[in-house]
Amino acid sequence: QLQLEESGGGAVQTGGSLQLSCVASGRSYGVNCMGWFRQRPGEVREVVANIFTYGGQTTYSDSVKGRFTISQDKHKNTVYLQMDDLKPEDTGLYYCASAPIPMGGHPCSAFNEPDSRGRGIQVTVSS
């Protein structure tokens, strides 16, 4: 099981930017789906973005498409989430997670059931 540790959260004003980092350790970075969830107050957990670590395919939620970019550095076992044009509704606790690749279908189709996740990091966007 991977250990995942997030960093880079904080507080910004509307329109600002933050970059979250997620460092994986404990076993080989490997071939899996890695990405980010967020938990906003009073709402269910939401998949923000994920990336297939082997092929590099990315997926974004409609709410962040065009503003957030997920990327990876395999040599550093790190996944990044660049968040631009932040809005107050982006406020929440952001979790890094990883999920194995399913036998068929999209490589990140099982991301909603991750087998590893970090402790989370707070992002606060003020108006």
Side-chain angles (χ1 to χ4, degrees), residues 20-99:
L20 304 183
S21 299
C22 172
V23 179
S25 62
R27 62 168 172 83
S28 172
Y29 188 71
V31 177
N32 56 23
C33 179
M34 293 191 66
W36 299 86
F37 291 91
R38 70 183 176 191
Q39 182 75 58
R40 293 184 284 189
E43 298 191 19
V44 299
R45 185 184 72 180
E46 175 190 10
V47 175
V48 175
N50 53 43
I51 184 168
F52 176 37
T53 59
Y54 179 76
Q57 294 96 320
T58 58
T59 305
Y60 298 91
S61 69
D62 288 342
S63 61
V64 306
K65 202 171 292 183
R67 300 187 298 120
F68 291 11
T69 304
I70 189 170
S71 61
Q72 62 175 337
D73 185 333
K74 294 182 181 181
H75 299 293
K76 295 183 178 179
N77 283 359
T78 301
V79 174
Y80 303 97
L81 185 68
Q82 177 65 39
M83 305 186 294
D84 297 318
D85 190 23
L86 282 161
K87 304 176 181 181
E89 52 264 41
D90 294 317
T91 294
L93 195 61
Y94 284 69
Y95 298 92
C96 178
S98 70

